Amino acid sequence: MAKKRVEETKIFQILKEAESGVPMKELSRKYGFTEQTLYRWRNQYGGLELSDIQKMKELERENSELKKIVANMALEIQAIKNVLGKKF
């Protein structure tokens, strides 16, 4: 089964319902997610505001891009070392 991608606003809305006292089983049936997913979201995003969640996601995206840049630079450095290390 393919994973669904849920927007932060929807996760925030679901967590607010959970905080208001709606049982997790009811929420999981209503939105079509397992209880484990809801517990994971609560552990990950609990106590955060929507703006905090969006900032966190943006930082994660930026971090991922920076890691790719560092990996590419490391490959380029290794290639340059290989070329310069050969004796002609």
Side-chain angles (χ1 to χ4, degrees):
M1 187 168 143
K3 290 184 177 182
K4 296 179 184 177
R5 179 74 179 139
V6 182
E7 294 183 13
E8 294 85 21
T9 55
K10 190 70 170 177
I11 293 172
F12 184 72
Q13 176 189 0
I14 293 169
L15 291 176
K16 284 296 179 186
E17 282 186 49
E19 288 177 5
S20 68
V22 179
M24 288 292 215
K25 285 187 178 193
E26 187 176 323
L27 286 174
S28 64
R29 272 187 254 119
K30 181 178 177 182
Y31 292 106
F33 296 102
T34 63
E35 285 185 62
Q36 182 61 37
T37 300
L38 294 173
Y39 282 111
R40 185 172 29 89
W41 286 344
R42 189 175 68 182
N43 286 337
Q44 188 173 3
Y45 301 115
L48 296 177
E49 292 298 320
L50 183 58
S51 61
D52 296 335
I53 293 172
Q54 290 171 341
K55 285 179 188 175
M56 184 174 67
K57 287 292 182 180
E58 180 60 32
L59 287 173
E60 287 174 355
R61 276 189 226 107
E62 183 180 343
N63 191 28
S64 174
E65 290 175 17
L66 292 173
K67 284 182 179 182
K68 288 177 186 176
I69 291 170
V70 168
N72 287 334
M73 293 300 292
L75 287 173
E76 289 177 12
I77 290 170
Q78 187 62 39
I80 291 170
K81 284 182 180 179
N82 286 341
V83 169
L84 294 177
K86 292 182 181 179
K87 295 185 180 181
F88 294 100

